[in-house]
Amino acid sequence: MRRNIVAANWKMNKDVQESYDFTKSLSKKLLNLKRTHIILCPPFTSLFYISELLKNSSIALGGQNMHYEKSGAFTGEISASMLKSSGCDYVILGHSERRHVFNESNELIKKKIDTALSNDLKPIICVGEKLEERQSGKTSEVIRTQYSSAFIGISEQKINQCIIAYEPVWAIGTGITATPEQASEVQGVIRNLVSEQYNREIADSMPILYGGSVKSANAKSLIETENIDGFLVGGASLVVDHFFEIINVVEQFSIGQEK
Ligand code: PGA
């Protein structure tokens, strides 16, 4: 059975003290958490400090981005080994803000994914269509292109290190969530792409998260839907109680599944 995952993408929010306070408070609330895997992706500046706090905890840390080169004259960038040495096991790659605000191409994202995997960092690979692409019936095509570019050449050994997040661009930070049916349909397309490239068993074990205006009020209907294995949460991950409520929904669902 796939493990349910809830990841927090804080984006450019929270200084070191705020990150620390949040993490401390969340850790206390999660003491009895058994089924759901939690990943916090704070800004780079908070990573190392939080990692010290999380030393004996099951909460994992991820970066929000990285460069594909090992080191060198890339002002403002950070490398995979820097993330690793700051306590990260994960890195978000191909987030729509990276794609559309910072013009990252599929080719660039692919280089980052390969670098992450060869440095033992698990990439959370985001894919998603823009509103106009959905409206013109191009959703599956866009997802297929983003998927193919990201996964080409990834071996069967490495594929189980990857997490996919379906994040429709029109749902991110807008308060508009994809309906469970819309999300499930696209996530089914993604699972079939994994199955076509590898096999059904690998596809069935691949965690596919949904992201885009997830909150506690819509988390239940989404997590109960086929093909949704958890969430990548932006805005609602900034307030510890809100984030905890989402985790709780997923945890209760996971417990129910095991009965
Ligand atoms: P949101 O962001 O939950 O604020 O919509 C999700 C994301 O960008 O990962």
Side-chain angles (χ1 to χ4, degrees):
M1 198 175 13
R2 293 188 291 273
R3 194 141 181 233
N4 292 118
I5 295 170
V6 181
N9 174 12
W10 289 353
K11 310 189 181 186
M12 198 173 74
N13 294 290
K14 295 195 188 296
D15 64 20
V16 174
Q17 188 63 49
E18 289 164 339
S19 304
Y20 181 88
D21 293 345
F22 179 107
T23 307
K24 207 156 185 201
S25 161
L26 184 70
S27 305
K28 273 196 207 141
K29 287 177 186 286
L30 296 185
L31 283 176
N32 294 320
L33 194 78
K34 295 211 163 54
R35 311 283 197 290
T36 313
H37 185 49
I38 309 300
I39 307 167
L40 295 183
C41 303
F44 296 141
T45 43
S46 297
L47 283 171
F48 183 66
Y49 197 41
I50 297 189
S51 78
E52 294 289 297
L53 192 63
L54 293 178
K55 268 212 165 112
N56 296 311
S57 148
S58 60
I59 301 175
L61 266 189
Q64 296 176 16
N65 186 28
M66 53 160 239
H67 197 276
Y68 62 86
E69 288 286 359
K70 267 199 185 101
S71 61
F74 301 102
T75 302
E77 294 290 333
I78 68 153
S79 70
S81 69
M82 291 170 190
L83 286 181
K84 279 297 285 186
S85 69
S86 302
C88 291
D89 288 318
Y90 294 87
V91 59
I92 299 174
L93 294 175
H95 188 275
S96 79
E97 283 144 24
R98 299 302 319 174
R99 291 180 189 269
H100 304 302
V101 182
F102 298 98
N103 294 320
E104 290 194 5
S105 64
N106 281 328
E107 292 68 33
L108 178 68
I109 293 160
K110 170 63 176 161
K111 285 186 185 172
K112 295 182 180 202
I113 293 169
D114 288 346
T115 298
L117 287 170
S118 56
N119 283 275
D120 201 23
L121 270 176
K122 301 180 176 85
I124 302 171
I125 302 164
C126 303
V127 296
E129 80 288 1
K130 294 195 260 186
L131 185 60
E132 56 273 28
E133 291 165 337
R134 172 163 284 266
Q135 285 169 338
S136 55
K138 292 206 179 113
T139 300
S140 297
E141 188 186 321
V142 171
I143 299 298
R144 179 177 282 275
T145 306
Q146 292 176 348
Y147 171 90
S148 310
S149 163
F151 283 88
I152 191 166
I154 295 184
S155 68
E156 280 195 20
Q157 282 79 8
K158 294 274 182 193
I159 187 69
N160 58 16
Q161 304 290 300
C162 299
I163 296 173
I164 302 179
Y166 168 54
E167 298 207 309
V169 180
W170 47 272
I172 296 178
T174 57
I176 304 166
T177 322
T179 62
E181 295 70 31
Q182 286 171 321
S184 176
E185 188 189 346
V186 179
Q187 306 209 178
V189 168
I190 296 171
R191 208 174 295 287
N192 285 337
L193 288 168
V194 179
S195 178
E196 272 171 33
Q197 186 179 354
Y198 300 94
N199 57 51
R200 198 20 81 180
E201 200 187 327
I202 289 178
D204 284 343
S205 61
M206 166 70 78
I208 306 180
L209 313 184
Y210 168 77
S213 298
V214 174
K215 25 190 180 312
S216 58
N218 55 33
K220 187 165 186 289
S221 57
L222 286 162
I223 196 68
E224 285 172 353
T225 307
E226 204 188 343
N227 286 316
I228 300 182
D229 304 316
F231 303 118
L232 179 54
V233 188
S237 74
L238 294 174
V239 177
V240 75
D241 285 341
H242 297 177
F243 189 53
F244 176 66
E245 281 168 25
I246 295 170
I247 294 170
N248 215 13
V249 168
V250 175
E251 178 76 355
Q252 293 313 317
F253 172 77
S254 304
I255 292 170
Q257 288 289 91
E258 286 191 7
K259 281 188 183 146

